[in-house]
Structure formats: structure tokens, C-alpha cells
Amino acid sequence: MKHKKMRQFLADHCLLAGEIQLSGGGTANFYFDCKRATLNGEFLTPLADWLLDEVAPALSPSPTLIGGPTLGADFIAAAAIMRATQRNLPLCRASIVRKEAKKHGTKSLIENEQPSGQQVLVVEDVITTGGSIAYACDELLAAGHKIAGIAAIIDREAGGKQKLETQYNAPVMALFTKSDFPELNG
Ligand SMILES: O=P(O)(O)OC[C@H]1O[C@H](OP(=O)(O)OP(=O)(O)O)[C@H](O)[C@@H]1O
Ligand SMILES: O=C(O)c1cc(=O)[nH]c(=O)[nH]1
């Protein structure tokens, strides 16, 4: 599935119209329910290949780890490291930042935490304010890692992308932006 088909998949299966509450506060009249895409192998496979073939190679220094905030990053990261392993590519590990540390067991905030000093490719499904990515970046930095780049399926063009680029001095790449969906104009 190439980009055109991924765009159509999102338009057909994920794009919701009508007033809806957003994670960062406020409301909007459209919403991308990207979990419907990242929990579907037909979309997830080309998404992982986009990360491995177009995003990771464009970053310097090269990423050594995939990371991101649960829940948005979970399936994307898992798919990317599985495809990397199948394809004999080096990006075969991921760390996921929980919304809060576990209260039992390992008490982890970062699952599968890696030795400090990793160059992290942070992944997420949607960027609106960028708050959820910023939270994960801050925790990864606090764990001693660097932010090599940030990638998301959708940039809602609400200012989050620019904010993240400035805050983390790292490239932010989105597979699609709100403008790629003329369906939103009626
Ligand atoms: O750029 P932001 O303003 O942070 O908004 C985008 C975030 O909102 C959604 O997550 P949500 O908070 O719904 O949590 P979930 O992914 O765990 O369902 C989405 O998956 C992004 O993580
Ligand atoms: O800002 C959000 O909360 C948000 C917007 C969107 O389009 N999709 C999503 O999952 N979250």
C-alpha cells in the first residue's frame, strides 16, 4: 500500500465528523481515529515501511531506538521493530513511555528502557498541540536519551509540529497533514 492508499484508508476508516473533545483541551469538528488504522495490518505494514525507508534514513544522527507515548506509539513502534527485524534492518528495539509509572511490579515509567544515550525516533499517531509527544520526549531526555526525530501519521496543522521542532531541535515528519484531506471541506 503506497501513500495514496494509506491516505484513502484514513479517509475511509478513521476520519470522523462532528463536534469532539480533544486531548489537549478544547473541541474540534473533525477527528482522526487513527487506532482504526494502527490496529489494521493493511495500514500498519506500509506505515512501518514508511518509517524504515523514508523517516529513519533522513535523520542524522541515525536513530538507534524507536520510542513514544502510549497508546499512540504502541502499535506503530511494535510494527516498525517487527518489520525492521524481518528486513534485517538495525532499528529493532522500542521503548514506550507510560502515562504514569506502574504502581506495582517493575514500577516502570518507560517500558523496555534501554541504556542511556540512544538516538530516539519518537513516533505517535496524531499531532495536535504536540503535548503528548512532548511529554514522551521529556521523559526520554530525562532517561539520558537524545531526540533524533519525531514522526506522526497526521499533523492536524494546529501548531504542534512547529512547537516540537523548536523545543527539541529535531525534525518532525508527518505522513499526512490536515490539508491532505479535502474531504474535511465538505
Ligand atoms: O498533540 P496532542 O494535543 O497531544 O494530541 C494528540 C494526542 O491525542 C490522542 O491521544 P489521547 O490523549 O486520546 O490518548 P490515547 O492515544 O492514549 O488514546 C492522540 O493519540 C495523540 O496522542
Ligand atoms: O487532539 C486530539 O486529541 C486528537 C485529534 C485527532 O484527530 N485524533 C486523535 O486521536 N486525537
Side-chain angles (χ1 to χ4, degrees):
M1 197 196 273
K2 294 262 199 261
H3 292 200
K4 200 171 156 198
K5 282 195 176 166
M6 283 195 275
R7 196 214 71 85
Q8 200 57 48
F9 187 103
L10 291 165
D12 291 345
H13 301 285
C14 304
L15 195 47
L16 310 179
E19 183 162 317
I20 192 153
Q21 205 172 335
L22 299 178
S23 165
T27 58
N29 60 7
F30 71 95
Y31 194 81
F32 289 94
D33 182 4
C34 284
K35 308 309 186 278
R36 298 182 189 184
T38 59
L39 286 167
N40 187 313
E42 192 190 335
F43 183 91
L44 196 53
T45 308
L47 178 69
D49 286 336
W50 171 68
L51 290 168
L52 298 174
D53 294 333
E54 296 180 46
V55 176
L59 299 177
S60 178
S62 294
T64 59
L65 182 70
I66 297 206
T70 194
L71 189 68
D74 296 4
F75 318 116
I76 302 172
I81 59 175
M82 186 171 146
R83 281 297 276 163
T85 305
Q86 287 171 337
R87 295 178 50 192
N88 247 333
L89 297 172
L91 211 46
C92 297
R93 285 165 302 140
S95 293
I96 293 291
V97 183
R98 289 177 170 272
K99 292 187 202 288
E100 57 178 27
K102 268 173 86 99
K103 295 203 168 32
H104 63 281
T106 58
K107 303 204 167 163
S108 303
L109 175 64
I110 300 180
E111 291 297 342
N112 193 33
E113 188 158 0
Q114 297 293 304
S116 64
Q118 304 295 322
Q119 292 286 347
V120 187
L121 166 55
V122 176
V123 298
E124 171 63 294
D125 51 10
V126 177
I127 302 174
T128 305
T129 65
S132 114
I133 291 176
Y135 162 74
C137 287
D138 289 345
E139 294 300 343
L140 290 162
L141 288 169
H145 305 307
K146 304 243 166 30
I147 307 303
I150 295 167
I153 300 171
I154 306 272
D155 167 22
R156 288 181 55 113
E157 300 175 300
K161 177 178 185 280
Q162 291 72 18
K163 219 168 98 186
L164 291 165
E165 272 165 349
T166 306
Q167 198 167 338
Y168 300 102
N169 192 27
V172 179
M173 299 164 79
L175 182 57
F176 300 110
T177 67
K178 177 193 169 197
S179 307
D180 291 318
F181 294 87
E183 293 88 345
L184 286 168
N185 303 323

